[in-house]
Amino acid sequence: DAEITQSPRHKITETGRQVTLACHQTWNHNNMFWYRQDLGHGLRLIHYSYGVQDTNKGEVSDGYSVSRSNTEDLPLTLESAASSQTSVYFCASSEGRGPSTDTQYFGPGTRLTVL
Amino acid sequence: GDSVTQMEGPVTLSEEAFLTINCTYTATGYPSLFWYVQYPGEGLQLLLKATKADDKGSNKGFEATYRKETTSFHLEKGSVQVSDSAVYFCAHPTSGTYKYIFGTGTRLKVLA
């Protein structure tokens, strides 16, 4: 079955370290998204991509970067981890057939702790 | 701008009680509307969706009707179970894009 996976599921790192979270989907979806989920803030969009070599900033992109070199993967990199980036991170993908109707499918999440 | 407003939680119900979780939205045009469910320790799963006005989405006993007149998409279930305990999110795409706006989520706790 097609799916979307994230790794690692849990990560503890130290302030200042570079961290990369992986996201892999096997649906051949054009669109991929990264969100963070924090108490009191719901889900906030970090970065998104509408296809290979396309990346865009979301509402909370500072300190994060992504690259899309193939359809299946959108890794999220924290250039220099900060305690404020302790959160649960979700990756999602959607087919990209048409705006306003596309359905997003979510991965299981990565819990990141920055000490 | 576009927005989604959900009722504050947590909502605590006894098993077999009737559930309503309110969701109202602001949007340009008539985007699809979605309800997602998040069980403890898991990602969001699509629960149901409606693609146009007066559509009713349904799944696992849950229903929601796309009400253009009241800009609402309230989630209902006639008889909740303990296994329905989760956080529920209402969402819609922003106008002309693939990006979603999410409500803040409503936590439901069902007691046996």
Side-chain angles (χ1 to χ4, degrees):
Chain A
D1 283 346
E3 61 178 356
I4 181 166
T5 58
Q6 293 184 235
S7 62
R9 295 294 312 277
H10 301 272
K11 174 79 176 177
I12 299 174
T13 191
E14 295 177 343
T15 301
R17 289 190 180 265
Q18 184 181 77
V19 176
T20 296
L21 309 183
C23 175
H24 179 80
Q25 52 96 3
T26 58
W27 281 302
N28 202 37
H29 283 171
N30 289 324
N31 302 337
M32 296 184 74
F33 307 84
W34 273 105
Y35 296 90
R36 59 179 290 174
Q37 184 178 33
D38 305 286
L39 275 175
H41 291 279
L43 283 154
R44 293 183 289 176
L45 183 64
I46 305 171
H47 280 286
Y48 59 100
S49 168
Y50 288 162
V52 176
Q53 304 300 330
D54 175 76
T55 61
N56 306 278
K57 294 181 178 180
E59 61 180 305
V60 290
S61 60
D62 286 349
Y64 302 95
S65 64
V66 294
S67 63
R68 187 94 178 268
S69 58
N70 58 52
T71 301
E72 297 80 15
D73 299 289
L74 187 70
L76 177 72
T77 297
L78 287 68
E79 304 293 345
S80 176
S83 57
S84 59
Q85 294 176 309
T86 292
S87 185
V88 181
Y89 291 85
F90 290 101
C91 180
S93 71
S94 70
E95 194 171 7
R97 279 200 174 186
S100 302
T101 60
D102 236 30
T103 300
Q104 290 190 17
Y105 297 93
F106 284 77
T110 294
R111 182 175 295 275
L112 176 68
T113 302
V114 182
L115 302 177
Chain B
D2 292 12
S3 66
V4 175
T5 303
Q6 281 183 243
M7 63 188 290
E8 294 272 339
V11 174
T12 303
L13 296 172
S14 298
E15 208 165 24
E16 300 183 4
F18 185 87
L19 169 71
T20 300
I21 299 178
N22 291 337
C23 171
T24 57
Y25 66 91
T26 303
T28 304
Y30 303 104
S32 293
L33 302 175
F34 300 87
W35 276 102
Y36 284 83
V37 58
Q38 185 179 30
Y39 299 104
E42 298 184 12
L44 277 71
Q45 301 176 24
L46 177 67
L47 180 59
L48 55 83
K49 71 177 186 180
T51 57
K52 60 183 185 296
D54 300 325
D55 255 8
K56 178 184 284 188
S58 61
N59 187 26
K60 298 182 181 180
F62 290 89
E63 293 183 341
T65 301
Y66 193 136
R67 302 285 187 198
K68 182 178 63 173
E69 303 79 10
T70 55
T71 62
S72 65
F73 193 53
H74 304 323
L75 183 68
E76 297 181 333
K77 187 175 185 182
S79 176
V80 294
Q81 305 301 312
V82 172
S83 57
D84 294 326
S85 298
V87 180
Y88 293 82
F89 292 90
C90 184
H92 72 76
T94 55
S95 176
T97 81
Y98 295 104
K99 296 185 292 180
Y100 278 19
I101 289 179
F102 287 89
T104 53
T106 302
R107 183 175 299 276
L108 170 67
K109 184 172 183 180
V110 181
L111 304 176

